[in-house]
Amino acid sequence: MTRIDNSPLINDYLGKAYDSYKSNYMAVAESYCDKILEIEDTNYQAWLLKGKTAGRQSTLDKPRFTEGVDAFIHAVKNVPQDNRKALLAEIKD
């Protein structure tokens, strides 16, 4: 069975997601995270950013903090052990 290397596409999407996040385009950043997670549902970086975008898009009418926490939990479950401490510190902030 041939396995397709999607890492260039994932890296491209992740870069676009972070650029969108930094430019305060939360919905766009979240859509790139969703694209990544469709390809690789264990990508902790996409889960982390998805959690951040959910929190930043929360309003009184549509709170999304639970969704953000769920995404953070997925990130923690999938992070490599050597990145775990940094991830937990970033989530805490």
Side-chain angles (χ1 to χ4, degrees):
M1 181 165 121
T2 304
R3 187 170 174 104
I4 298 172
D5 180 13
N6 288 314
S7 57
L9 181 61
I10 290 170
N11 289 334
D12 180 52
Y13 285 161
L14 197 55
K16 289 176 180 177
Y18 276 109
D19 288 345
S20 298
Y21 181 81
K22 290 175 190 171
S23 298
N24 206 33
Y25 295 111
M26 297 301 132
V28 175
E30 185 176 18
S31 71
Y32 280 114
C33 291
D34 290 338
K35 289 179 182 190
I36 294 166
L37 295 170
E38 286 175 13
I39 298 167
E40 181 182 79
D41 66 352
T42 58
N43 188 295
Y44 79 94
Q45 293 169 307
W47 281 116
L48 172 64
L49 192 54
K50 184 172 175 71
K52 289 180 174 185
T53 62
R56 296 273 310 270
Q57 292 178 86
S58 287
T59 64
L60 291 175
D61 294 331
K62 187 176 180 187
R64 296 185 60 194
F65 294 112
T66 301
E67 187 180 338
V69 170
D70 288 344
F72 291 152
I73 290 169
H74 281 289
V76 171
K77 286 181 181 178
N78 290 293
V79 68
Q81 190 62 37
D82 56 336
N83 295 344
R84 186 178 180 90
K85 190 174 184 178
L87 176 75
L88 291 173
E90 190 167 351
I91 289 172
K92 184 179 175 184
D93 287 339

